Amino acid sequence: MKHHICYIILTALILASCSTTRRLPQGEQLYTGVRKVEIATSPDGRAIPTGLADQLKKTVDVAPNNYIRMLHWRHPFPLGLWVYNNWPNPDHGFRHWIYEKLAAEPVLVSDVRPEVRTHMLDEILDNNGYFRGTTSYTVNTARNPRKASITYTVNPGPAYLIDSIQLLPDTSHLYHLIDSIASRDPYMVPGSRFCTDSLSVVRTRITNHLRNRGYYYFRPEYIEYLADSLLNRGSIALRLTVASGTPEAALTRWSTGHITVRANKPYGGQYFDTIPTRRGILIQMMPSRLRHALIPECVTFRTDRTFTVRDMERTQMYLARLGIFNAINIEVSPDTLNARPRLNVDIDCTFDTPLEASLEVNASSKSNSYIGPGATFSVTNHNIFGGGEQLSVALTGTYEWQTGRSGAQKSSLFNSYEIGLTGSLAFPRLIAPKFIPRRRRELNWTRITLNADLLNRPHYFKMAQFNLAYSYEWQASRHVFTTLTPFKLTYTKLLNTTHTFDSITAANPAIALSFRSQFIPQIAYTYNYNRTFDRDNGLNVTWSVQEAGNVFWAIYRACGVKGEKELFGTPFSQFVKGQIQVVYNRRLRGDNWLVSRVAVGAAHAYGNSSQVPYSEQFYVGGANSIRAFTVRSIGPGSYHAPQDNADGYFDQTGTFKFEANLEYRFPIVGPLHGALFIDTGNVWLLKNDPQRPGGRLRGSSFLKDLALGTGCGLRFDISMLVVRADLGIGLHAPYDTGRSGYYNMTSFGNSLAFHLAIGYPF
């Protein structure tokens, strides 16, 4: 080992001693980077805007050799330069291949052209109102005169402010619109700094507004500014004008003429069918499947109404979101047969192939800390009835194992598999009463789902589950997403159980009742409010409520049925359940975020059931919860399964949940991010269970029953995929560990829990 270290040190010394400037042309210098960009303050003592300073620095930021831009660091091992200067380069052979792969030509000071870059800096200052600014550069040589860095000096001088603004004469509808838009723009205010980029933004805003008021052919370059710095020295007198030579079409206000939609098949067809509709003419290539009212529902143009670009964008969006076309093109042309200025609209749509098959191979990470590979094969018909309806059938298989084993809270770790078949029929509209608020800008769905799953926990049980659901999904407003499931029927049946599982249920009747074969008829509603208030603040609120069995119970009761009520010979569950989660994101600086989360849930069984079904109960711990504890290792309350009971996993659920998390997220290098977090929470029982003492929710012991943990983590974030590793450190366990005091972990090693997951925890 010592010999290897000596060889490495010797190699480094040899490379460092080799010249990296031996082959430089006479009179040239090796560029070693920008030493500094010195930006002086203006004469009034104000620093130039941060954005402008960044733009100036970026203009002169030329990377030297052996520079890692991601780290903003020039490392001291110029391998490429050493090979270029010292490695022979024959015409062919292995040495030539090595030279071509490793050699890096030197970046010279003459390549950087600092004199040109100072001119670029002058232009940037002029464009931002610093007309008296000056820039210069200095070439700094080190001990080796053949190497040099560059220092740039920027003296911005005083900023020129807009003194007065002269708008267009109010002699036409066009000029009146331009004046009204410009007068309200924050960049067009006397006293603001002159900036050509800002004025360019104003031109674009004016143009976008005009094109939505009938002036379709208007372009930003038709707006011009005349700036006079001599009228009032040190200030700018600004005049807004319309460029001479602007085409007459750009000055004309257009209305919508004839509307024609062509629905083409991708591989041609036999004949065209022309169909008049209330939104224009539909020309459909036959044979093809298309509900005739579908196109008029998507076209927002109206004949003889003012033509707007917004109508083009909305029509394009409404047609595209149907998912049945692979190409949509909208073109307009003047109606030469009409005396009034009108634009005819031609919409060409090409049908996509209706059938789509896909195979997805993925890795999943669930809230219960199960992680593993999975595969889904699906077949979808995107236009089964000619109105964008989607019929899909998917076969899914997963194999999972549980992560997050921690010393004192060792859980029974086992692998499991799940196989599921799901059929779904989705309609791209709400088949529901009109009074339900919805946004036409977004696609709303009515969905019918039929699902069958087989879940195998090898050491415990094999369970089958069947679901039939009818649901609505719609966007009620810009920030509100809503799901209503007026009918969902779930049937669960234990197919096989092991002796271990039978002994668990025999010892705890509450667990046995929650696992029994049963029907679960439900009605559910989910409300999600998601809003980013600005670049630095975001809020997500999700709450849901569901009930099971009440409708069936009321019907049976009205018919005089007493006692336990059954559906198809099997008891059905009756309970109510509600949850709410609030997540708040706050940017501290740069890409540093503070994310907080609070989640509360409660479930209560009554009437036809004495226990909430096991699948509907709450649990905490794991990769997306309290990360210092493995899943189902704490709760309910201060109850803890005996240490010699490896199957206490099933006992640690509850009917009330509280969780709170605080996480600081920060960048490290490139896609690698870090996090520091603190988590707290637990689950409790709303009904007393003698088999789980201390599990009932009580106000006097609530704070003491909260588990507390902290920790740190790494995230590899490449946008479409986030791989996360978290190390949780327990600070307080809600049960008796044999140690007194708030910090009651038996040892530091036993307080650790490691979780590997996909995606952020919240």
Side-chain angles (χ1 to χ4, degrees):
M1 182 66 181
K2 293 182 179 179
H3 290 81
H4 292 312
I5 296 176
C6 292
Y7 290 149
I8 293 173
I9 295 175
L10 181 61
T11 302
L13 291 174
I14 293 174
L15 289 176
S17 64
C18 294
S19 173
T20 57
T21 59
R22 185 170 60 86
R23 292 182 57 190
L24 292 184
Q26 188 66 29
E28 294 286 0
Q29 292 176 300
L30 180 67
Y31 171 68
T32 60
V34 176
R35 175 180 292 184
K36 188 177 182 181
V37 179
E38 298 177 345
I39 303 177
T41 58
S42 59
D44 59 4
R46 296 181 181 179
I48 66 173
T50 303
L52 176 57
D54 292 340
Q55 185 181 2
L56 293 171
K57 293 176 182 178
K58 186 176 181 180
T59 301
V60 298
D61 184 20
V62 180
N65 292 102
N66 49 286
Y67 182 75
I68 302 177
R69 187 173 292 278
M70 182 182 298
L71 301 178
H72 302 286
W73 177 56
R74 184 172 184 259
H75 64 80
F77 304 104
L79 177 62
L81 283 176
W82 178 83
V83 172
Y84 176 84
N85 283 277
N86 300 281
W87 190 274
N89 183 22
D91 293 336
H92 52 81
F94 178 73
R95 288 191 173 186
H96 173 75
W97 182 83
I98 288 291
Y99 182 90
E100 291 295 326
K101 291 296 181 183
L102 300 181
E105 293 191 12
V107 179
L108 308 176
V109 171
S110 60
D111 296 331
V112 177
R113 303 180 70 183
E115 68 283 354
V116 174
R117 298 194 177 274
T118 55
H119 289 308
M120 296 169 64
L121 296 177
D122 289 334
E123 291 181 2
I124 293 173
L125 291 176
D126 290 344
N127 290 337
N128 284 273
Y130 294 94
F131 296 107
R132 300 183 188 176
T134 60
T135 60
S136 60
Y137 71 92
T138 303
V139 177
N140 313 295
T141 55
R143 287 176 299 178
N144 185 349
R146 305 207 71 186
K147 297 181 179 180
S149 61
I150 301 175
T151 297
Y152 294 92
T153 303
V154 179
N155 291 298
Y160 276 61
L161 306 181
I162 297 177
D163 178 66
S164 61
I165 301 174
Q166 182 179 345
L167 301 178
L168 296 169
D170 192 2
T171 57
S172 66
H173 180 265
L174 174 62
Y175 285 12
H176 178 80
L177 275 179
I178 293 175
D179 288 351
S180 64
I181 302 164
S183 61
R184 297 194 304 267
D185 198 285
Y187 290 143
M188 296 287 286
V189 177
S192 60
R193 176 172 53 86
F194 177 85
C195 177
T196 57
D197 289 341
S198 298
L199 295 179
S200 179
V201 169
V202 176
R203 292 201 310 179
T204 301
R205 289 174 180 168
I206 291 174
T207 301
N208 291 339
H209 190 89
L210 293 177
R211 298 188 75 206
N212 282 311
R213 292 298 184 275
Y215 297 93
Y216 173 74
Y217 292 104
F218 202 89
R219 298 293 180 266
E221 55 268 25
Y222 300 152
I223 295 288
E224 291 185 347
Y225 300 101
L226 300 179
D228 189 345
S229 61
L230 301 177
L231 187 63
N232 188 358
R233 190 166 181 81
S235 299
I236 296 293
L238 193 67
R239 178 191 298 174
L240 185 148
T241 65
V242 173
S244 60
T246 299
E248 184 63 28
L251 305 176
T252 302
R253 190 182 188 191
W254 300 87
S255 60
T256 303
H258 300 295
I259 304 169
T260 305
V261 182
R262 295 177 177 84
N264 305 307
K265 296 181 66 175
Y267 307 110
Q270 297 179 358
Y271 62 94
F272 286 99
D273 187 11
T274 302
I275 306 164
T277 73
R278 57 192 177 91
R279 302 285 173 81
I281 300 297
L282 171 62
I283 302 175
Q284 182 178 352
M285 184 176 288
M286 302 298 289
S288 62
R289 182 174 295 171
L290 180 67
R291 186 167 56 87
H292 293 165
L294 186 64
I295 294 295
E297 291 173 356
C298 297
V299 175
T300 61
F301 294 103
R302 302 290 187 276
T303 300
D304 290 330
R305 194 172 70 178
T306 300
F307 184 91
T308 71
V309 173
R310 188 178 295 112
D311 282 331
M312 294 183 67
E313 295 170 347
R314 288 179 178 175
T315 300
Q316 180 97 21
M317 179 182 66
Y318 293 164
L319 290 171
R321 71 184 186 181
L322 293 175
I324 63 176
F325 301 115
N326 65 8
I328 301 169
N329 184 44
I330 301 178
E331 294 184 353
V332 300
S333 58
D335 186 353
T336 57
L337 301 179
N338 199 299
R340 291 179 298 168
R342 301 202 314 174
L343 293 175
N344 293 333
V345 180
D346 291 291
I347 306 172
D348 283 315
C349 306
T350 303
F351 281 104
D352 199 355
T353 304
L355 288 178
E356 176 185 352
S358 66
L359 175 64
E360 298 180 8
V361 179
N362 55 63
S364 63
S365 175
K366 297 183 178 179
S367 60
N368 59 4
S369 288
Y370 273 88
I371 186 171
T376 299
F377 175 74
S378 63
V379 178
T380 302
N381 187 317
H382 291 282
N383 193 28
I384 185 68
F385 301 129
E389 299 85 0
Q390 296 185 2
L391 176 64
S392 63
V393 178
L395 177 64
T396 302
T398 61
Y399 182 80
E400 302 171 333
W401 58 90
Q402 187 187 9
T403 68
R405 187 168 186 164
S406 59
Q409 295 83 33
K410 294 180 181 178
S411 63
S412 177
L413 303 183
F414 51 86
N415 300 338
S416 69
Y417 67 81
E418 183 174 0
I419 300 174
L421 181 64
T422 301
S424 174
L425 177 60
F427 299 85
R429 53 195 174 276
L430 289 189
I431 307 176
K434 296 294 184 182
F435 62 79
I436 295 180
R438 66 199 76 173
R439 278 170 63 88
R440 190 168 182 270
R441 294 173 64 93
E442 307 296 334
L443 203 56
N444 306 301
W445 291 93
T446 300
R447 196 178 303 274
I448 302 172
T449 306
L450 182 62
N451 168 262
D453 273 310
L454 177 65
L455 175 62
N456 185 48
R457 301 280 198 219
H459 298 171
Y460 298 99
F461 60 82
K462 181 181 293 185
M463 176 184 286
Q465 180 170 290
F466 303 91
N467 291 285
L468 174 62
Y470 183 88
S471 60
Y472 300 115
E473 302 169 9
W474 76 95
Q475 187 168 350
S477 65
R478 182 178 180 182
H479 306 290
V480 175
F481 300 84
T482 309
T483 301
L484 172 64
T485 304
F487 176 78
K488 180 180 179 181
L489 184 62
T490 302
Y491 175 67
T492 60
K493 182 175 180 59
L494 279 172
L495 302 177
N496 294 310
T497 59
T498 65
H499 176 73
T500 301
F501 184 77
D502 291 339
S503 63
I504 295 171
T505 56
N508 194 327
I511 296 294
L513 285 173
S514 65
F515 265 99
R516 68 176 181 174
S517 298
Q518 58 191 311
F519 281 101
I520 308 176
Q522 297 182 63
I523 298 175
Y525 177 80
T526 300
Y527 175 97
N528 179 264
Y529 177 85
N530 188 23
R531 183 172 183 180
T532 301
F533 294 96
D534 50 44
R535 295 180 63 253
D536 301 325
N537 294 275
L539 178 67
N540 181 279
V541 180
T542 303
W543 63 268
S544 64
V545 61
Q546 63 190 90
E547 68 82 26
N550 292 312
V551 175
F552 282 87
W553 182 89
I555 294 174
Y556 276 69
R557 190 63 180 267
C559 295
V561 179
K562 297 181 179 181
E564 186 178 58
K565 301 165 182 61
E566 297 181 344
L567 182 64
F568 304 118
T570 302
F572 61 84
S573 292
Q574 188 175 0
F575 65 89
V576 63
K577 179 180 178 181
Q579 298 183 78
I580 184 170
Q581 174 180 278
V582 180
V583 179
Y584 175 68
N585 302 275
R586 171 68 181 177
R587 185 197 300 270
L588 302 180
R589 67 180 186 280
D591 201 22
N592 295 261
W593 290 85
L594 189 65
V595 184
S596 55
R597 168 183 174 262
V598 176
V600 180
H604 177 63
Y606 55 94
N608 210 49
S609 299
S610 59
Q611 296 293 330
V612 177
Y614 191 80
S615 60
E616 299 292 342
Q617 294 186 25
F618 302 107
Y619 53 85
V620 292
N624 299 334
S625 180
I626 307 169
R627 285 160 282 186
F629 300 87
T630 189
V631 66
R632 289 188 175 97
S633 63
I634 51 177
S638 60
Y639 169 78
H640 188 58
Q643 292 292 333
D644 58 351
N645 182 9
D647 304 310
Y649 172 93
F650 292 98
D651 290 338
Q652 305 201 249
T653 60
T655 51
F656 183 86
K657 178 184 75 170
F658 174 82
E659 286 182 290
N661 312 79
L662 186 65
E663 181 168 294
Y664 171 56
R665 300 171 183 171
F666 54 89
I668 299 178
V669 176
L672 185 63
H673 293 67
L676 301 173
F677 56 83
I678 184 167
D679 307 320
T680 186
N682 204 342
V683 293
W684 292 264
L685 300 173
L686 295 179
K687 296 180 180 180
N688 189 43
D689 183 357
Q691 302 295 326
R692 290 180 283 181
R696 189 169 183 180
L697 177 65
R698 299 182 186 277
S700 59
S701 60
F702 179 80
L703 294 178
K704 185 179 178 181
D705 288 347
L706 290 175
L708 181 67
T710 185
C712 57
L714 294 175
R715 291 93 167 85
F716 188 75
D717 187 349
I718 55 174
S719 297
M720 65 179 180
L721 176 67
V722 177
V723 179
R724 171 167 56 94
D726 286 332
L727 179 64
I729 306 170
L731 300 178
H732 174 71
Y735 51 84
D736 183 11
T737 64
R739 297 192 58 175
S740 61
Y742 187 78
Y743 179 79
N744 60 352
M745 311 307 295
T746 56
S747 69
F748 180 76
N750 286 337
S751 70
L752 301 179
F754 177 75
H755 302 280
L756 183 65
I758 297 171
Y760 286 103
F762 42 82

